[in-house]
Amino acid sequence: MRRIHFALALAIGLGFALGSIAAAPDPEVETPEVLPDGEGREEAFYACTACHSSALIRAQGMSRDAWDRLIDFMQERHNMVPLDAADRKLVVDYLAGAFPPRRQGGFRNPFLQQ
Amino acid sequence: MPRFKERGLFELYRSDPERADALMFGRRTQVGRRGFLKGAGLAAVSAAVGAPLAFADRFPGGLIPAAFAQAATAPKLLKMDGKAELVILGDRPLVAETPEHLLDDDVTPNDKFFIRNNGQIPSPTDNPDAWEIVVDGEVNKPLKLTLGELKKRFRHVSYQLQLECGGNGRNAFVPPASGNQWGNGAIGNAVWTGVRLADVLKAAEPKPSAIYTGHHGADPHLSGEAGRAAISRGVRLEKAMEPHTLIAFAMNGKPLPQIHGFPVRLVVPGWPGSASQKWLTRIQIRDKEHDGQGMTGTSYRVPILPMIPGSKPENSNFRILESMPVRSVITNVANGTTLPAGTRKLELKGKAWAGERSVRAVHVSIDHGGSWLQAEVAPPANKYAWQKWSRAVDLPSQGYYEIVVRAQDSAGMMQTISAWNWNPQGYGGNIVHRIAVVVPS
């Protein structure tokens, strides 16, 4: 009986400790769905997240030209695997469509976000 | 060539929890018989979660604390020691910003110090005193020193030095510049202890041809390519010889945290933080400007002639960003604070700094810059330490206020209202810090 009580306490304890973790969504392994839907999402996801997490992509908002230049930058400086012309068009079109220039950077009113 | 793919913080906690713990907390997880955390390991995780853990002895070692595991849509917070909540800008590479209101300490504690990595985080060394540092290139006596020898051979100095990411303030550029979208929080002012880089370079005897440094560290490139540096920047020899430029091995009186470059790093105060190489392995003395990772193109550079925002940059129109620009923050009132009802007087406090320069004046405004009130500005603890400022303001009524702080440096330059001198990677932005507060009826 004593043993059963111990096992029960252990199970509850573990459930508590793990529960606070399991309750959150699993952000550990990123998949293409972390990016907005669109043609070229998978290609863009795998081309970019080979090196860095999607947070860096999602923080950007740029014109198509600027995204295109950024691909050059990543290939020249950061060892990005080169894309063939078709894939490059797909990826750049996707990024430009999903992450266009935001209207405003900087200050956001915290009282409007509640 | 095999490519080791760096894992994000979250993935790392899943696949290699002991390494993740070692990187985040600079310690080895102590795992008991059943695999649960004990002792120091437990304390560190409790601290990270920000509260004592219920059923703490049952908390499995290396499990990612719930405080790290939040929805992708909300800002991710990196909680350490129960107080600091750094905002994670990215987990691979790991980059985290200190919200302005957590910069209220005169000396920034380690847990509130922003985190910027360009590459993978190397594994912690077990034998810091055996860590080797090479000084070579345009010198008569190339050096190969262990950290232990370096500590014995050269005089130790300690200074409060502000260290700031070159991209601090980037999120104010319109259209958005590429890179981590820093607010004002890529800044910290710690007490750094080390030896003067100048003393070490003098021992190596630079040749007359020596004009520039190239810094090298042990952090691998994110892509895992062996021959590619995560970051390798340098400075003019004059800056390397400046007495506050340190080879540092302690931060706030303790060995460097792993995430800040353990066991040894450079601290090149007042210049973009990328010059302050972490996990330092080599200082190359050069007879020309360094051309390592992050030195060329538009990286850590600003336009010589202003360019049309968003247009294609011409590399020839860019110069290296050396001194960081003047900046100030309000640290004792968080953006979005609802003040106690009836509040009519508000004491404002904060910090200001100006790269190579000092801060001459700080002004605050509660009417969007219609009028400015002069703050009291304290002198820095030493050159390159940030400066405290304070000013009490009257709030004439209930309602919504925006409070703005603006600093002016010793050469007269002021922070701007909007980011100027747009450049594709967003350097040199230093707009005024702005917070919103409400006084309820």
Side-chain angles (χ1 to χ4, degrees), chain A residues 68-88:
Chain A
D68 197 48
R69 287 194 290 270
L70 194 64
I71 300 290
D72 284 338
F73 173 82
M74 290 296 178
Q75 290 182 353
E76 288 162 17
R77 299 297 178 77
H78 289 297
N79 209 28
M80 181 181 182
V81 176
L83 302 170
D84 65 32
D87 273 352
R88 178 166 179 140

Side-chain angles (χ1 to χ4, degrees), chain B residues 129-263:
Chain B
D129 278 348
W131 183 277
E132 285 183 340
I133 303 154
V134 168
V135 180
D136 63 1
E138 302 293 312
V139 293
N140 290 321
K141 293 182 177 170
L143 303 174
K144 187 177 198 176
L145 295 164
T146 66
L147 178 55
E149 288 164 350
L150 184 98
K151 286 179 182 171
K152 278 198 197 107
R153 185 165 164 190
F154 299 98
R155 186 158 85 88
H156 295 191
V157 292
S158 293
Y159 293 115
Q160 275 187 37
L161 302 170
Q162 45 92 359
L163 190 61
E164 182 175 22
C165 176
N168 206 16
R170 180 177 289 135
N171 78 355
F173 282 100
V174 181
S178 70
N180 291 295
Q181 299 297 305
W182 298 107
N184 289 307
I187 177 74
N189 183 67
V191 174
W192 301 95
T193 301
V195 302
R196 290 193 170 106
L197 178 57
D199 291 348
V200 177
L201 295 185
K202 282 174 199 160
E205 296 182 10
K207 295 178 180 172
S209 54
I211 61 162
Y212 222 88
T213 60
H215 311 154
H216 302 266
D219 44 335
H221 190 266
L222 282 178
S223 70
E225 189 190 354
R228 194 178 290 265
I231 187 89
S232 175
R233 303 199 60 248
V235 295
R236 283 185 286 115
L237 194 64
E238 292 89 328
K239 179 64 177 172
M241 299 299 278
E242 209 284 339
H244 298 80
T245 299
L246 306 183
I247 300 179
F249 42 77
M251 181 179 183
N252 293 324
K254 291 181 182 156
L256 299 179
Q258 177 64 17
I259 205 77
H260 294 300
F262 178 77

Side-chain angles (χ1 to χ4, degrees), chain A residues 6 9-14 16-30 34 45 48-56 58-63 65-66 69-70 73-81 100-111 114, chain B residues 3 5 10-11 14 34 36 54-55 58-60 63-66 69-72 76 89-93 171-181 221-223 225 228 230 293-294 296-299 310-313 335-338 400 402 425 434-438:
Chain A
F6 175 74
L10 181 67
I12 291 168
L14 257 182
F16 188 92
L18 293 171
S20 63
I21 291 151
D26 180 1
E28 295 163 34
V29 178
E30 292 195 324
V34 73
F45 176 84
C48 301
T49 65
C51 279
H52 58 76
S53 66
S54 72
L56 199 55
R58 288 181 282 119
Q60 314 304 321
M62 290 185 284
S63 67
D65 280 351
R69 287 194 290 270
L70 194 64
F73 173 82
M74 290 296 178
Q75 290 182 353
E76 288 162 17
R77 299 297 178 77
H78 289 297
N79 209 28
M80 181 181 182
V81 176
R102 293 184 300 276
R103 198 168 291 272
Q104 191 192 346
F107 188 81
R108 293 184 201 177
N109 191 314
F111 292 100
Q114 288 170 356
Chain B
R3 284 173 50 148
K5 181 171 171 280
F10 303 113
E11 198 183 338
R14 162 177 276 180
R34 288 197 176 83
F36 297 132
F55 301 102
R58 314 277 161 75
F59 195 88
L63 255 190
I64 184 165
Q70 295 166 29
K76 289 200 176 80
L89 302 189
D91 73 315
R92 182 167 57 99
N171 78 355
F173 282 100
V174 181
S178 70
N180 291 295
Q181 299 297 305
H221 190 266
L222 282 178
S223 70
E225 189 190 354
R228 194 178 290 265
Q293 183 78 270
T296 55
T298 59
S299 297
S311 64
K312 186 173 189 290
N335 186 21
T337 298
T338 298
Y400 170 82
E402 287 184 13
Q425 290 180 257
R434 174 178 173 191
I435 65 170
V437 300
V438 160

